[in-house]
Amino acid sequence: SGFYYQPEVLNFLAFLKLLTNPYDNESFLRCIRLPSLKISEKTVEKIIKQSESENIPLFEVITKPKKMPKDALDAIQQFKKLLEKIEKRKEDHLDQLIDYIAQATGYTKYLKQTYIEKQKHLAETQKLAGEESYLPPKKSLKKKKKSANHSPEIQNFEALKASAKQKRFSILEFIHHIALMDGLDHLSQQ
């Protein structure tokens, strides 16, 4: 399980792949299930069900969703608008595009918050277990917020951006480059 198999890296790659092929159902599902987007699994299941019943790609469902509750329709509309905004930026340099995706989806903010919560939970667990290594409550919150910028997930995001910045590839070239580097043949399949 190398760098390009890390969930946060795969999530950004899914958005890049979706830009090159909106009918890539695997990437579509990875994008729409991004936790920071807060789209319910129930809504995702409705999209899948419509896709299967009409025998159309998942992407087409968001352009013409049917028989869905208002909250599902709202979530689908927001996701569609997000993809349209990202599509307009696809000519940006890849590192800028990845940054934009992170900002527009709220994903890095979500990763930082998740890291802080994990650290709090770990500190509480260690305290309950009588271990000395927990952070004292007075200093911990500030320290945790700072350390969230150095969490493994954020470091992976920064490394992906740096990799994109190193070589001025197109999106498709970058995906193929990654597939070759890491032996992920499925990334380059369209």
Side-chain angles (χ1 to χ4, degrees):
S1 63
F3 171 73
Y4 293 107
Y5 285 100
Q6 299 303 312
E8 56 282 356
V9 173
L10 289 170
N11 290 336
F12 284 105
L13 292 176
F15 274 98
L16 296 177
K17 287 174 60 184
L18 204 55
L19 279 174
T20 62
N21 180 7
Y23 299 102
D24 177 344
N25 285 339
E26 185 181 328
S27 293
F28 179 92
L29 287 173
R30 187 164 201 102
C31 293
I32 201 165
R33 285 182 169 138
L34 198 67
S36 60
L37 297 179
K38 298 179 181 165
I39 297 173
S40 74
E41 190 57 32
K42 198 173 184 177
T43 298
V44 174
E45 288 170 13
K46 290 181 185 303
I47 293 169
I48 293 169
K49 187 176 180 180
Q50 183 179 334
S51 168
E52 290 170 350
S53 70
E54 295 179 19
N55 198 26
I56 59 174
L58 295 167
F59 183 78
E60 287 186 23
V61 173
I62 68 169
T63 62
K64 48 186 173 197
K66 296 178 184 167
K67 298 179 187 174
M68 293 195 195
K70 184 181 176 348
D71 62 328
L73 288 173
D74 290 346
I76 290 168
Q77 190 61 31
Q78 287 299 105
F79 184 67
K80 184 179 172 209
K81 284 180 184 177
L82 172 68
L83 292 179
E84 288 168 354
K85 287 178 184 177
I86 293 170
E87 171 75 26
K88 288 178 184 175
R89 305 283 303 259
K90 79 177 191 181
E91 297 305 319
D92 287 2
H93 290 292
L94 274 176
D95 58 315
Q96 294 169 337
L97 179 60
I98 291 168
D99 245 349
Y100 180 77
I101 292 169
Q103 178 270 321
T105 61
Y107 192 53
T108 49
K109 184 178 179 180
Y110 167 83
L111 288 174
K112 288 176 184 179
Q113 185 59 41
T114 303
Y115 179 76
I116 290 169
E117 289 168 11
K118 284 181 193 174
Q119 292 301 309
K120 283 182 187 176
H121 179 72
L122 177 64
E124 289 168 11
T125 304
Q126 289 173 334
K127 185 178 179 179
L128 288 172
E131 295 178 19
E132 297 287 326
S133 60
Y134 73 92
L135 294 171
K138 294 173 208 149
K139 298 182 208 170
S140 64
L141 188 59
K142 202 173 197 178
K143 217 173 191 177
K144 285 177 187 147
K145 283 183 180 177
K146 242 183 189 177
S147 72
N149 291 324
H150 304 292
S151 72
E153 294 85 358
I154 296 298
Q155 288 177 350
N156 285 340
F157 162 70
E158 293 298 335
L160 179 66
K161 251 182 19 182
S163 177
K165 192 174 187 173
Q166 240 175 9
K167 299 182 170 100
R168 294 297 182 180
F169 289 130
S170 70
I171 296 169
L172 197 53
E173 288 170 333
F174 185 62
I175 291 168
H176 286 287
H177 171 74
I178 290 168
L180 291 172
M181 279 179 42
D182 209 46
L184 298 175
D185 294 330
H186 70 278
L187 276 181
S188 62
Q189 294 173 355
Q190 296 294 334

